[in-house]
Amino acid sequence: MKPDRNDPAARILEIVAAIPEGRVATYGRVAGLAGVPRGARRVGRVLAELPEGSDIPWHRVVNACGRISPRGDAPIEGFQRHLLLEEGVEFSDTDRIDLDRFGI
DNA sequence: ACTCTGACGGAAT
DNA sequence: GATTCCGCCAGAG
């Protein structure tokens, strides 16, 4: 098996894994870098399948608004925010991240 | 094959 | 800034 085949999911995970600490990337950006234009939703789906304790820094992925995407009923928003704050990522008064500074 | 849904994005109101 | 609507891609029933 080749390490990197045409499986979009594998490429997406590699891109996310490559996001440096203290930085964030948008779903759309990750999709683009992974060679899957307009595959933002796909990125979200792949990350949603990740098991807990995964080495993938999924918390560094936010939506195009620089905000933490709501998962529905999961109180994970606070957790993700905590992880980012610990890495030095700053949130504005409106809970938004300045993508010009912390984005890739 | 069809319909519904979703960790999205962007334009319109 | 908050809502609403539409476009896009994939998986599930």
Side-chain angles (χ1 to χ4, degrees):
Chain A
M1 303 274 278
K2 293 185 228 180
D4 183 51
R5 41 194 171 4
N6 291 320
D7 181 19
R11 297 171 58 173
I12 289 172
L13 290 177
E14 274 191 58
I15 299 300
V16 176
I19 302 174
E21 191 176 309
R23 289 287 192 77
V24 299
T26 66
Y27 294 91
R29 194 63 189 279
V30 172
L33 292 174
V36 188
R38 295 173 281 305
R41 296 190 90 146
R42 191 129 174 235
V43 174
R45 180 169 294 289
V46 172
L47 294 183
E49 291 299 318
L50 287 176
E52 275 183 55
S54 173
D55 299 311
I56 307 299
W58 56 270
H59 58 278
R60 293 183 192 142
V61 184
V62 297
N63 61 30
C65 298
R67 294 202 162 133
I68 294 174
S69 293
R71 234 74 108 226
D73 56 340
I76 292 179
E77 201 171 323
F79 177 59
Q80 181 171 0
R81 174 171 174 152
H82 176 71
L83 290 174
L84 290 173
L85 285 171
E86 293 228 320
E87 293 185 354
V89 176
E90 298 171 28
F91 285 78
S92 71
D93 299 337
T94 55
D95 296 304
R96 211 176 351 147
I97 297 172
D98 185 344
L99 295 177
D100 287 325
R101 293 201 301 148
F102 302 101
I104 303 297

